[in-house]
Amino acid sequence: MEFYNTHILTVVLFTPLVGALLLLFVPRDSENAHRVIGNLFAFLGLIVSLPLIWRYSLSPTADRFQFKENYNWIPSIGAHYTLGIDGISLLLVILTTLLGAISILSSWSAIKMRRKEYYILFLLLQTGMLGVFMALDFFLFYLFWEVMLVPMYFLIGVWGSDRRLYAAIKFFLYTLVGSVLMLLGILALYFKAGAMTFDVPTLLASASKFDTSTQVILFWLFFFAFAIKVPMFPFHTWLPDAHTEAPTAGSVILAGVLLKMGTYGFIRFSLPLLPQDPAARHKIVTIMLVVSVIGILYGALVCMMQKDMKKLIAYSSVSHLGFCTLGIFALTPHGLSGSVLQQINHGISTGALFLIVGVLYERRHTRLISEFGGLSTPMPNFAAIYMIVSLSSLGLPLLNGFIGEFTILRGVYEISIKYAAWAVIGIVLGAAYLLWLYQRVMFGPVTNPANEHLPDLNAREYATLIPLVILAFWIGIYPKPFFRVLDRPVQLIVEQVNPGYYGAEHAASPAVNAAPAPSAAPDTMMNMPGMDMSPAPAPSTEKK
């Protein structure tokens, strides 16, 4: 127990890996043992991560990164085994362990071949994703970033649909190109700083003193890795194929967690690497905002034309993640906190949508929208949960999607009404394609005889969907605990990348939860093209 208390992040990180190693010694013909052990360690990974929630300190005097572990790993190059999380990492770690357990449970009857290898790869993938959100050493971060790539490649290429090899190779190549460019950025940062360390805070602090051209180059080197992973327009073309061909659990974890590695990278690394020069900074930020809006509208419009349910939901991720990057590069507290919360919301809602498609695919072995219709008659409980999840994804008030989108729009409105107005169009289009999909699948008469006697949800399927429905209502009705966790890390980031936001009075006070000066204006935003609107007063944060 003492080891767990002092090394809680290590325990959370390597619990899935222990399960994968244990499965190596289980005979291949013991298929039930593979399923039981895989699900057991996925669930155990969730259980050991839950104490992070109540042990995480919200005190303004607490360290920025908590539960830190720091050990010499490769002294000759300055690489350390350094783990730590802030409020942003905390939410993403819990999302990863939750969706990992749900995804593996959804595979119970769906995977019928090579089950041993499937569960080993999935648990290894879980370790890689957790490591990305915990690592505070660039060398360690890159290691986990690459570890994630191989299991996902095989999960798509072996257990996917008809065009699985094409989708797997496309996913691998796109991600690898971004990873190589990020590696160049890490090495450039390492040698330019001259500190002989890969420590993330140290190198990012050194980057703030580089000349403008170096800062611009570093930003774009990291940008390609994160933009491909999100994916941002126009780097999104690998996503629909990967989602469509992956098994259900692979689609859930791909949408729910892997895409968040890109947005997390933007927040953790790209924002501190923004150039200090106002002209260079406003040019980069404007590009990011414009591309985000294009992604929102493009993804939503393409969804309207899809005939495959999975591909429609895949393109919806391009639109929804556009809101997340829009909030990030608004550089306001509401924009950033709304972006992180919307990343959690997207994992919940889109993960549930892929589970719903998986339920239908197991029964009918087709994802074509035209093959369904009137399913609310034979599957009433399924129809009810599907409706809740659809409303959650489109942003209905009292459900989680509304809180995230509203907060992002509030933050974007502070810098420009134009970007906020274009983003609202994306919300309207999102409601259109999600409701139209629901109408075609669930309403009307049952015209296809194969759909007349489809069984409703079973106990295992309820177990995968009900927790996500509960979370959707919880965040939609009472999001305060999530914003409290995000309050301090978001404020520290805004003070770093947009110091004029809080004003001189707030900058002089180290109190994280002090109310910002009413007259504070984001000076770095005022000179951006299209941002001619006077910003609203900075929001007050609640005193903890």
Side-chain angles (χ1 to χ4, degrees):
M1 192 63 183
E2 180 63 27
F3 180 85
Y4 174 74
N5 290 332
T6 55
H7 302 84
I8 184 170
L9 292 185
T10 295
V11 173
V12 174
L13 175 60
F14 291 114
T15 294
L17 181 61
V18 171
L21 294 175
L22 182 60
L23 280 169
L24 290 174
F25 301 98
V26 178
R28 183 180 298 276
D29 56 355
S30 303
E31 294 188 351
N32 281 334
H34 300 151
R35 292 192 295 191
V36 170
I37 294 174
N39 280 276
L40 175 64
F41 275 88
F43 183 72
L44 189 60
L46 172 61
I47 295 300
V48 298
S49 70
L50 292 180
L52 292 172
I53 299 173
W54 53 82
R55 292 189 182 188
Y56 184 82
S57 174
L58 298 175
S59 169
T61 60
D63 292 338
R64 178 176 183 179
F65 295 102
Q66 301 181 29
F67 313 109
K68 283 192 70 173
E69 301 177 37
N70 188 6
Y71 303 99
N72 261 331
W73 180 23
I74 311 177
S76 59
I77 61 173
H80 288 70
Y81 174 79
T82 307
L83 304 179
I85 60 172
D86 61 0
I88 297 170
S89 308
L90 172 65
L91 293 182
L92 291 171
V93 165
I94 299 300
L95 177 70
T96 303
T97 57
L98 173 65
L99 288 182
I102 288 175
S103 299
I104 289 184
L105 180 58
S106 73
S107 307
W108 186 274
S109 60
I111 302 302
K112 304 184 185 303
M113 55 173 276
R114 296 182 177 272
R115 285 176 175 161
K116 177 177 180 176
E117 292 86 348
Y118 176 85
Y119 288 107
I120 289 174
L121 288 170
F122 216 106
L123 291 172
L124 181 61
L125 174 65
Q126 187 83 343
T127 296
M129 295 184 300
L130 288 170
V132 167
F133 298 132
M134 295 180 183
L136 291 180
D137 181 276
F138 269 114
F139 191 88
L140 186 66
F141 169 82
Y142 187 77
L143 173 68
F144 284 122
W145 184 276
E146 292 298 280
V147 163
M148 169 280 310
L149 179 61
V150 177
M152 196 68 224
Y153 168 79
F154 284 108
L155 287 173
I156 298 172
V158 176
W159 292 275
S161 301
D162 297 338
R163 300 176 72 243
R164 56 185 179 273
L165 289 178
Y166 167 78
I169 292 172
K170 194 173 183 180
F171 163 78
F172 189 92
L173 291 177
Y174 266 73
T175 307
L176 185 63
V177 168
S179 299
V180 170
L181 292 174
M182 181 173 66
L183 178 60
L184 292 176
I186 291 173
L187 293 175
L189 188 57
Y190 173 78
F191 286 110
K192 183 72 173 177
M196 285 301 294
T197 180
F198 284 97
D199 181 65
V200 169
T202 300
L203 291 184
L204 292 180
S206 299
S208 64
K209 302 179 179 63
F210 295 167
D211 60 90
T212 299
S213 60
T214 302
Q215 292 175 337
V216 171
I217 292 172
L218 286 173
F219 177 88
W220 290 117
L221 286 174
F222 280 86
F223 162 82
F224 286 106
F226 303 143
I228 290 171
K229 187 69 72 180
V230 169
M232 294 184 73
F233 177 89
F235 307 103
H236 65 284
T237 56
W238 65 268
L239 181 67
D241 293 309
H243 268 316
T244 304
E245 303 304 324
T248 297
S251 297
V252 173
I253 211 70
L254 183 62
V257 181
L258 258 72
L259 306 188
K260 312 309 179 298
M261 292 165 56
T263 50
Y264 173 79
F266 278 133
I267 295 172
R268 181 70 71 224
F269 306 116
S270 294
L271 290 186
L273 288 174
L274 281 172
Q276 301 297 308
D277 178 66
R281 174 178 291 216
H282 95 259
K283 183 177 181 180
I284 288 177
V285 171
T286 302
I287 292 173
M288 299 301 294
L289 293 175
V290 169
V291 171
S292 297
V293 170
I294 292 174
I296 292 171
L297 299 177
Y298 170 82
L301 289 171
V302 174
C303 283
M304 305 288 286
M305 307 302 296
Q306 299 308 310
K307 299 178 181 180
D308 186 302
M309 294 177 67
K310 240 187 176 184
K311 188 164 284 191
L312 186 152
I313 299 170
Y315 274 110
S316 76
S317 293
V318 177
S319 182
H320 289 152
L321 269 297
F323 279 97
C324 296
T325 53
L326 186 69
I328 290 170
F329 287 94
L331 305 185
T332 59
H334 279 122
L336 267 172
S337 59
S339 172
V340 177
L341 187 60
Q342 190 64 4
Q343 293 171 43
I344 306 302
N345 295 336
H346 178 265
I348 293 169
S349 302
T350 305
L353 285 173
F354 278 117
L355 289 172
I356 284 168
V357 175
V359 168
L360 294 179
Y361 187 77
E362 281 194 47
R363 286 158 171 76
R364 287 291 322 280
H365 300 288
T366 180
R367 297 183 300 265
L368 292 177
I369 301 171
S370 59
E371 288 291 317
F372 299 100
L375 294 188
S376 59
T377 300
M379 307 174 69
N381 296 335
F382 172 83
I385 290 180
Y386 182 13
M387 172 59 78
I388 293 171
V389 173
S390 295
L391 296 176
S392 161
S393 184
L394 64 84
L396 185 76
L398 298 184
L399 288 168
N400 57 339
F402 172 77
I403 297 298
E405 290 175 350
F406 180 86
T407 311
I408 289 172
L409 291 175
R410 170 68 174 85
V412 175
Y413 186 88
E414 291 181 42
I415 61 167
S416 172
I417 190 174
K418 297 177 183 178
Y419 291 115
W422 281 110
V424 167
I425 297 175
I427 296 177
V428 176
L429 293 174
Y433 65 72
L434 286 168
L435 293 178
W436 189 31
L437 173 64
Y438 188 86
Q439 176 203 352
R440 288 179 287 172
V441 173
M442 306 308 299
F443 290 158
V446 181
T447 56
N448 190 332
N451 298 328
E452 290 180 351
H453 304 291
L454 291 181
D456 211 337
L457 297 173
N458 58 40
R460 177 182 55 82
E461 290 163 344
Y462 278 120
T464 60
L465 289 168
I466 292 299
L468 300 179
V469 171
I470 292 173
L471 279 172
F473 277 110
W474 178 15
I475 297 176
I477 295 172
Y478 188 65
K480 179 180 177 181
F482 297 86
F483 284 118
R484 282 173 59 86
V485 168
L486 293 173
D487 179 47
R488 184 165 184 255
V490 164
Q491 189 157 344
L492 290 173
I493 292 172
V494 173
E495 286 178 342
Q496 179 183 5
V497 302
N498 191 10
Y501 185 89
Y502 292 111
E505 180 181 348
H506 178 73
S509 171
V512 173
N513 293 312
S519 60
D523 298 336
T524 56
M525 296 288 115
M526 294 300 291
N527 296 324
M528 293 184 185
M531 297 183 180
D532 52 352
M533 178 183 170
S534 297
S540 298
T541 53
E542 181 177 351
K543 186 77 174 176
K544 296 186 182 68

Short mmCIF file of all heavy atoms in Angstrom, two decimals, residues 381-431:
data_model
loop_
_atom_site.label_atom_id
_atom_site.label_comp_id
_atom_site.label_asym_id
_atom_site.label_seq_id
_atom_site.Cartn_x
_atom_site.Cartn_y
_atom_site.Cartn_z
N ASN A 381 -35.62 0.04 -25.80
CA ASN A 381 -34.61 0.51 -24.84
C ASN A 381 -33.37 1.03 -25.55
O ASN A 381 -32.78 2.05 -25.16
CB ASN A 381 -34.23 -0.61 -23.88
CG ASN A 381 -35.39 -1.05 -23.02
OD1 ASN A 381 -36.32 -0.28 -22.77
ND2 ASN A 381 -35.37 -2.30 -22.57
N PHE A 382 -32.99 0.34 -26.60
CA PHE A 382 -31.88 0.81 -27.44
C PHE A 382 -32.20 2.18 -28.03
O PHE A 382 -31.35 3.08 -28.05
CB PHE A 382 -31.62 -0.20 -28.54
CG PHE A 382 -30.64 0.24 -29.58
CD1 PHE A 382 -29.28 0.11 -29.36
CD2 PHE A 382 -31.07 0.78 -30.79
CE1 PHE A 382 -28.36 0.50 -30.33
CE2 PHE A 382 -30.16 1.19 -31.76
CZ PHE A 382 -28.80 1.05 -31.52
N ALA A 383 -33.44 2.36 -28.49
CA ALA A 383 -33.84 3.64 -29.09
C ALA A 383 -33.76 4.77 -28.08
O ALA A 383 -33.35 5.89 -28.42
CB ALA A 383 -35.26 3.52 -29.64
N ALA A 384 -34.13 4.51 -26.82
CA ALA A 384 -34.10 5.54 -25.79
C ALA A 384 -32.66 5.98 -25.51
O ALA A 384 -32.36 7.19 -25.44
CB ALA A 384 -34.77 5.03 -24.52
N ILE A 385 -31.77 5.02 -25.35
CA ILE A 385 -30.37 5.36 -25.05
C ILE A 385 -29.73 6.04 -26.26
O ILE A 385 -28.97 7.02 -26.12
CB ILE A 385 -29.60 4.09 -24.65
CG1 ILE A 385 -30.08 3.61 -23.28
CG2 ILE A 385 -28.10 4.36 -24.63
CD1 ILE A 385 -29.38 2.37 -22.78
N TYR A 386 -30.05 5.57 -27.45
CA TYR A 386 -29.52 6.17 -28.67
C TYR A 386 -29.97 7.63 -28.77
O TYR A 386 -29.18 8.51 -29.15
CB TYR A 386 -29.97 5.36 -29.87
CG TYR A 386 -29.45 5.82 -31.21
CD1 TYR A 386 -28.41 6.76 -31.32
CD2 TYR A 386 -29.99 5.31 -32.38
CE1 TYR A 386 -27.95 7.17 -32.55
CE2 TYR A 386 -29.53 5.72 -33.63
CZ TYR A 386 -28.52 6.66 -33.71
OH TYR A 386 -28.06 7.08 -34.93
N MET A 387 -31.21 7.92 -28.42
CA MET A 387 -31.71 9.29 -28.47
C MET A 387 -30.96 10.19 -27.49
O MET A 387 -30.56 11.30 -27.82
CB MET A 387 -33.21 9.31 -28.17
CG MET A 387 -33.80 10.71 -28.00
SD MET A 387 -33.58 11.76 -29.47
CE MET A 387 -34.88 11.13 -30.53
N ILE A 388 -30.74 9.70 -26.27
CA ILE A 388 -30.02 10.49 -25.27
C ILE A 388 -28.61 10.81 -25.75
O ILE A 388 -28.12 11.94 -25.65
CB ILE A 388 -29.98 9.74 -23.92
CG1 ILE A 388 -31.39 9.63 -23.33
CG2 ILE A 388 -29.05 10.46 -22.93
CD1 ILE A 388 -31.48 8.74 -22.12
N VAL A 389 -27.94 9.81 -26.30
CA VAL A 389 -26.57 10.00 -26.77
C VAL A 389 -26.53 10.98 -27.94
O VAL A 389 -25.64 11.83 -28.02
CB VAL A 389 -25.95 8.64 -27.15
CG1 VAL A 389 -24.59 8.84 -27.80
CG2 VAL A 389 -25.82 7.75 -25.92
N SER A 390 -27.49 10.88 -28.85
CA SER A 390 -27.53 11.80 -29.98
C SER A 390 -27.75 13.23 -29.51
O SER A 390 -27.09 14.17 -29.98
CB SER A 390 -28.65 11.41 -30.96
OG SER A 390 -28.39 10.15 -31.54
N LEU A 391 -28.67 13.43 -28.57
CA LEU A 391 -28.92 14.77 -28.03
C LEU A 391 -27.71 15.29 -27.27
O LEU A 391 -27.41 16.49 -27.29
CB LEU A 391 -30.15 14.74 -27.12
CG LEU A 391 -31.48 14.39 -27.80
CD1 LEU A 391 -32.60 14.30 -26.78
CD2 LEU A 391 -31.82 15.41 -28.89
N SER A 392 -27.00 14.38 -26.62
CA SER A 392 -25.77 14.77 -25.93
C SER A 392 -24.73 15.26 -26.92
O SER A 392 -24.07 16.28 -26.71
CB SER A 392 -25.23 13.56 -25.15
OG SER A 392 -23.87 13.73 -24.83
N SER A 393 -24.58 14.56 -28.04
CA SER A 393 -23.57 14.92 -29.04
C SER A 393 -23.90 16.23 -29.74
O SER A 393 -23.00 17.01 -30.05
CB SER A 393 -23.44 13.80 -30.06
OG SER A 393 -22.43 14.06 -30.99
N LEU A 394 -25.19 16.51 -29.96
CA LEU A 394 -25.56 17.74 -30.67
C LEU A 394 -25.64 18.97 -29.76
O LEU A 394 -25.80 20.09 -30.22
CB LEU A 394 -26.87 17.56 -31.44
CG LEU A 394 -28.18 17.30 -30.67
CD1 LEU A 394 -28.84 18.56 -30.18
CD2 LEU A 394 -29.15 16.54 -31.59
N GLY A 395 -25.52 18.77 -28.43
CA GLY A 395 -25.43 19.90 -27.51
C GLY A 395 -26.75 20.37 -26.95
O GLY A 395 -26.95 21.59 -26.79
N LEU A 396 -27.66 19.45 -26.61
CA LEU A 396 -28.92 19.84 -25.98
C LEU A 396 -28.67 20.28 -24.54
O LEU A 396 -27.91 19.62 -23.83
CB LEU A 396 -29.91 18.67 -26.00
CG LEU A 396 -31.32 18.99 -25.49
CD1 LEU A 396 -32.10 19.76 -26.53
CD2 LEU A 396 -32.04 17.69 -25.13
N PRO A 397 -29.27 21.39 -24.09
CA PRO A 397 -29.11 21.79 -22.68
C PRO A 397 -29.50 20.67 -21.72
O PRO A 397 -30.39 19.87 -22.02
CB PRO A 397 -30.05 23.00 -22.55
CG PRO A 397 -30.08 23.57 -23.93
CD PRO A 397 -30.01 22.39 -24.87
N LEU A 398 -28.81 20.62 -20.59
CA LEU A 398 -28.90 19.60 -19.54
C LEU A 398 -28.12 18.34 -19.90
O LEU A 398 -28.11 17.38 -19.12
CB LEU A 398 -30.35 19.24 -19.20
CG LEU A 398 -31.21 20.36 -18.63
CD1 LEU A 398 -32.58 19.83 -18.25
CD2 LEU A 398 -30.55 21.01 -17.43
N LEU A 399 -27.44 18.33 -21.04
CA LEU A 399 -26.53 17.25 -21.39
C LEU A 399 -25.14 17.83 -21.63
O LEU A 399 -24.97 19.03 -21.84
CB LEU A 399 -27.03 16.50 -22.62
CG LEU A 399 -28.27 15.62 -22.37
CD1 LEU A 399 -28.86 15.15 -23.69
CD2 LEU A 399 -27.92 14.42 -21.49
N ASN A 400 -24.14 16.96 -21.60
CA ASN A 400 -22.75 17.43 -21.51
C ASN A 400 -22.29 18.27 -22.69
O ASN A 400 -21.52 19.21 -22.53
CB ASN A 400 -21.83 16.23 -21.34
CG ASN A 400 -21.97 15.22 -22.48
OD1 ASN A 400 -22.98 15.18 -23.18
ND2 ASN A 400 -20.96 14.40 -22.65
N GLY A 401 -22.75 17.96 -23.91
CA GLY A 401 -22.27 18.69 -25.07
C GLY A 401 -22.58 20.17 -25.02
O GLY A 401 -21.80 21.00 -25.49
N PHE A 402 -23.71 20.52 -24.42
CA PHE A 402 -24.10 21.93 -24.35
C PHE A 402 -23.11 22.74 -23.51
O PHE A 402 -22.72 23.84 -23.89
CB PHE A 402 -25.51 22.04 -23.76
CG PHE A 402 -25.93 23.45 -23.46
CD1 PHE A 402 -26.34 24.30 -24.48
CD2 PHE A 402 -25.91 23.94 -22.16
CE1 PHE A 402 -26.72 25.61 -24.21
CE2 PHE A 402 -26.29 25.24 -21.88
CZ PHE A 402 -26.69 26.08 -22.91
N ILE A 403 -22.71 22.19 -22.37
CA ILE A 403 -21.81 22.92 -21.47
C ILE A 403 -20.48 23.21 -22.16
O ILE A 403 -19.96 24.33 -22.10
CB ILE A 403 -21.58 22.10 -20.18
CG1 ILE A 403 -22.90 21.91 -19.42
CG2 ILE A 403 -20.55 22.79 -19.29
CD1 ILE A 403 -23.53 23.20 -18.96
N GLY A 404 -19.91 22.21 -22.82
CA GLY A 404 -18.62 22.42 -23.48
C GLY A 404 -18.71 23.42 -24.61
O GLY A 404 -17.88 24.33 -24.71
N GLU A 405 -19.71 23.27 -25.47
CA GLU A 405 -19.83 24.18 -26.62
C GLU A 405 -20.14 25.60 -26.17
O GLU A 405 -19.60 26.57 -26.72
CB GLU A 405 -20.90 23.66 -27.58
CG GLU A 405 -20.49 22.40 -28.31
CD GLU A 405 -21.61 21.82 -29.15
OE1 GLU A 405 -22.76 22.31 -29.01
OE2 GLU A 405 -21.34 20.90 -29.94
N PHE A 406 -21.02 25.74 -25.19
CA PHE A 406 -21.38 27.08 -24.70
C PHE A 406 -20.15 27.78 -24.11
O PHE A 406 -19.92 28.97 -24.37
CB PHE A 406 -22.48 26.98 -23.65
CG PHE A 406 -22.91 28.32 -23.10
CD1 PHE A 406 -23.88 29.07 -23.75
CD2 PHE A 406 -22.33 28.84 -21.95
CE1 PHE A 406 -24.27 30.31 -23.25
CE2 PHE A 406 -22.71 30.07 -21.45
CZ PHE A 406 -23.68 30.81 -22.11
N THR A 407 -19.36 27.06 -23.32
CA THR A 407 -18.18 27.66 -22.70
C THR A 407 -17.15 28.06 -23.75
O THR A 407 -16.53 29.13 -23.66
CB THR A 407 -17.55 26.69 -21.69
OG1 THR A 407 -18.56 26.18 -20.82
CG2 THR A 407 -16.49 27.38 -20.86
N ILE A 408 -16.97 27.22 -24.77
CA ILE A 408 -16.04 27.57 -25.85
C ILE A 408 -16.51 28.81 -26.58
O ILE A 408 -15.73 29.75 -26.83
CB ILE A 408 -15.90 26.38 -26.82
CG1 ILE A 408 -15.13 25.24 -26.17
CG2 ILE A 408 -15.19 26.83 -28.11
CD1 ILE A 408 -15.10 23.98 -26.99
N LEU A 409 -17.80 28.85 -26.92
CA LEU A 409 -18.33 30.01 -27.64
C LEU A 409 -18.20 31.27 -26.79
O LEU A 409 -17.94 32.36 -27.32
CB LEU A 409 -19.79 29.77 -28.03
CG LEU A 409 -20.01 28.70 -29.11
CD1 LEU A 409 -21.50 28.46 -29.31
CD2 LEU A 409 -19.36 29.12 -30.41
N ARG A 410 -18.39 31.14 -25.49
CA ARG A 410 -18.22 32.29 -24.58
C ARG A 410 -16.78 32.80 -24.64
O ARG A 410 -16.54 34.01 -24.71
CB ARG A 410 -18.57 31.86 -23.15
CG ARG A 410 -18.22 32.87 -22.06
CD ARG A 410 -19.07 34.13 -22.15
NE ARG A 410 -18.81 35.01 -21.03
CZ ARG A 410 -17.82 35.90 -20.98
NH1 ARG A 410 -16.97 36.01 -21.99
NH2 ARG A 410 -17.67 36.67 -19.92
N GLY A 411 -15.82 31.88 -24.64
CA GLY A 411 -14.42 32.29 -24.70
C GLY A 411 -14.04 32.87 -26.05
O GLY A 411 -13.27 33.84 -26.13
N VAL A 412 -14.58 32.31 -27.13
CA VAL A 412 -14.27 32.82 -28.47
C VAL A 412 -14.94 34.18 -28.69
O VAL A 412 -14.37 35.08 -29.32
CB VAL A 412 -14.71 31.81 -29.55
CG1 VAL A 412 -14.52 32.38 -30.95
CG2 VAL A 412 -13.94 30.50 -29.39
N TYR A 413 -16.15 34.34 -28.16
CA TYR A 413 -16.87 35.61 -28.31
C TYR A 413 -16.09 36.77 -27.70
O TYR A 413 -16.18 37.90 -28.17
CB TYR A 413 -18.24 35.50 -27.64
CG TYR A 413 -19.15 36.69 -27.86
CD1 TYR A 413 -19.98 36.76 -28.97
CD2 TYR A 413 -19.17 37.75 -26.95
CE1 TYR A 413 -20.81 37.85 -29.17
CE2 TYR A 413 -20.00 38.84 -27.13
CZ TYR A 413 -20.81 38.89 -28.24
OH TYR A 413 -21.64 39.97 -28.43
N GLU A 414 -15.29 36.50 -26.65
CA GLU A 414 -14.50 37.55 -26.02
C GLU A 414 -13.50 38.17 -26.99
O GLU A 414 -13.13 39.34 -26.84
CB GLU A 414 -13.76 37.00 -24.81
CG GLU A 414 -14.65 36.62 -23.65
CD GLU A 414 -13.83 36.10 -22.48
OE1 GLU A 414 -12.77 36.70 -22.21
OE2 GLU A 414 -14.24 35.12 -21.85
N ILE A 415 -13.03 37.39 -27.97
CA ILE A 415 -12.01 37.92 -28.88
C ILE A 415 -12.60 38.29 -30.24
O ILE A 415 -12.06 39.16 -30.92
CB ILE A 415 -10.86 36.92 -29.07
CG1 ILE A 415 -11.36 35.60 -29.67
CG2 ILE A 415 -10.16 36.65 -27.74
CD1 ILE A 415 -10.27 34.70 -30.17
N SER A 416 -13.68 37.62 -30.65
CA SER A 416 -14.25 37.93 -31.97
C SER A 416 -15.63 37.31 -32.11
O SER A 416 -15.77 36.09 -32.00
CB SER A 416 -13.33 37.40 -33.08
OG SER A 416 -13.98 37.53 -34.34
N ILE A 417 -16.60 38.13 -32.40
CA ILE A 417 -17.95 37.63 -32.63
C ILE A 417 -18.02 36.86 -33.95
O ILE A 417 -18.87 35.97 -34.13
CB ILE A 417 -18.97 38.79 -32.61
CG1 ILE A 417 -20.40 38.25 -32.61
CG2 ILE A 417 -18.75 39.72 -33.79
CD1 ILE A 417 -21.45 39.33 -32.44
N LYS A 418 -17.12 37.16 -34.87
CA LYS A 418 -17.16 36.51 -36.19
C LYS A 418 -16.87 35.02 -36.08
O LYS A 418 -17.59 34.19 -36.66
CB LYS A 418 -16.15 37.18 -37.13
CG LYS A 418 -16.46 38.64 -37.40
CD LYS A 418 -15.40 39.27 -38.28
CE LYS A 418 -15.67 40.76 -38.50
NZ LYS A 418 -14.61 41.40 -39.31
N TYR A 419 -15.81 34.66 -35.36
CA TYR A 419 -15.49 33.24 -35.21
C TYR A 419 -16.60 32.51 -34.45
O TYR A 419 -16.93 31.37 -34.76
CB TYR A 419 -14.16 33.07 -34.48
CG TYR A 419 -12.96 33.51 -35.30
CD1 TYR A 419 -12.19 34.60 -34.91
CD2 TYR A 419 -12.61 32.84 -36.47
CE1 TYR A 419 -11.10 35.00 -35.65
CE2 TYR A 419 -11.51 33.24 -37.22
CZ TYR A 419 -10.76 34.32 -36.81
OH TYR A 419 -9.69 34.73 -37.56
N ALA A 420 -17.14 33.15 -33.45
CA ALA A 420 -18.22 32.54 -32.68
C ALA A 420 -19.45 32.30 -33.56
O ALA A 420 -20.10 31.25 -33.47
CB ALA A 420 -18.58 33.41 -31.47
N ALA A 421 -19.76 33.26 -34.41
CA ALA A 421 -20.93 33.13 -35.29
C ALA A 421 -20.75 31.97 -36.28
O ALA A 421 -21.69 31.19 -36.50
CB ALA A 421 -21.17 34.44 -36.04
N TRP A 422 -19.58 31.84 -36.87
CA TRP A 422 -19.34 30.73 -37.79
C TRP A 422 -19.42 29.39 -37.05
O TRP A 422 -19.94 28.40 -37.60
CB TRP A 422 -17.97 30.88 -38.45
CG TRP A 422 -17.95 31.86 -39.57
CD1 TRP A 422 -17.35 33.09 -39.60
CD2 TRP A 422 -18.57 31.71 -40.86
NE1 TRP A 422 -17.56 33.72 -40.80
CE2 TRP A 422 -18.29 32.89 -41.61
CE3 TRP A 422 -19.32 30.71 -41.46
CZ2 TRP A 422 -18.74 33.08 -42.90
CZ3 TRP A 422 -19.78 30.90 -42.76
CH2 TRP A 422 -19.49 32.06 -43.47
N ALA A 423 -18.91 29.34 -35.83
CA ALA A 423 -18.96 28.09 -35.07
C ALA A 423 -20.39 27.69 -34.75
O ALA A 423 -20.72 26.50 -34.73
CB ALA A 423 -18.14 28.24 -33.78
N VAL A 424 -21.26 28.65 -34.50
CA VAL A 424 -22.66 28.36 -34.20
C VAL A 424 -23.32 27.65 -35.38
O VAL A 424 -24.17 26.76 -35.20
CB VAL A 424 -23.42 29.65 -33.84
CG1 VAL A 424 -24.92 29.42 -33.84
CG2 VAL A 424 -22.97 30.15 -32.47
N ILE A 425 -22.95 28.02 -36.60
CA ILE A 425 -23.49 27.34 -37.77
C ILE A 425 -23.15 25.85 -37.72
O ILE A 425 -23.96 24.98 -38.09
CB ILE A 425 -22.96 27.98 -39.06
CG1 ILE A 425 -23.42 29.44 -39.15
CG2 ILE A 425 -23.42 27.19 -40.29
CD1 ILE A 425 -22.84 30.19 -40.34
N GLY A 426 -21.94 25.53 -37.25
CA GLY A 426 -21.55 24.13 -37.10
C GLY A 426 -22.43 23.38 -36.12
O GLY A 426 -22.73 22.19 -36.32
N ILE A 427 -22.88 24.06 -35.05
CA ILE A 427 -23.78 23.43 -34.09
C ILE A 427 -25.13 23.11 -34.74
O ILE A 427 -25.70 22.02 -34.55
CB ILE A 427 -23.98 24.34 -32.87
CG1 ILE A 427 -22.65 24.52 -32.12
CG2 ILE A 427 -25.06 23.79 -31.93
CD1 ILE A 427 -22.74 25.47 -30.95
N VAL A 428 -25.63 24.04 -35.54
CA VAL A 428 -26.91 23.82 -36.23
C VAL A 428 -26.80 22.64 -37.20
O VAL A 428 -27.67 21.76 -37.24
CB VAL A 428 -27.33 25.10 -36.99
CG1 VAL A 428 -28.60 24.84 -37.79
CG2 VAL A 428 -27.54 26.24 -36.01
N LEU A 429 -25.70 22.59 -37.96
CA LEU A 429 -25.50 21.48 -38.88
C LEU A 429 -25.35 20.16 -38.13
O LEU A 429 -25.82 19.11 -38.59
CB LEU A 429 -24.27 21.74 -39.75
CG LEU A 429 -24.37 22.90 -40.73
CD1 LEU A 429 -23.03 23.13 -41.42
CD2 LEU A 429 -25.44 22.62 -41.78
N GLY A 430 -24.69 20.20 -36.96
CA GLY A 430 -24.54 19.00 -36.15
C GLY A 430 -25.89 18.43 -35.72
O GLY A 430 -26.11 17.22 -35.77
N ALA A 431 -26.78 19.31 -35.30
CA ALA A 431 -28.13 18.85 -34.94
C ALA A 431 -28.83 18.25 -36.15
O ALA A 431 -29.54 17.23 -36.03
CB ALA A 431 -28.93 20.02 -34.38
#
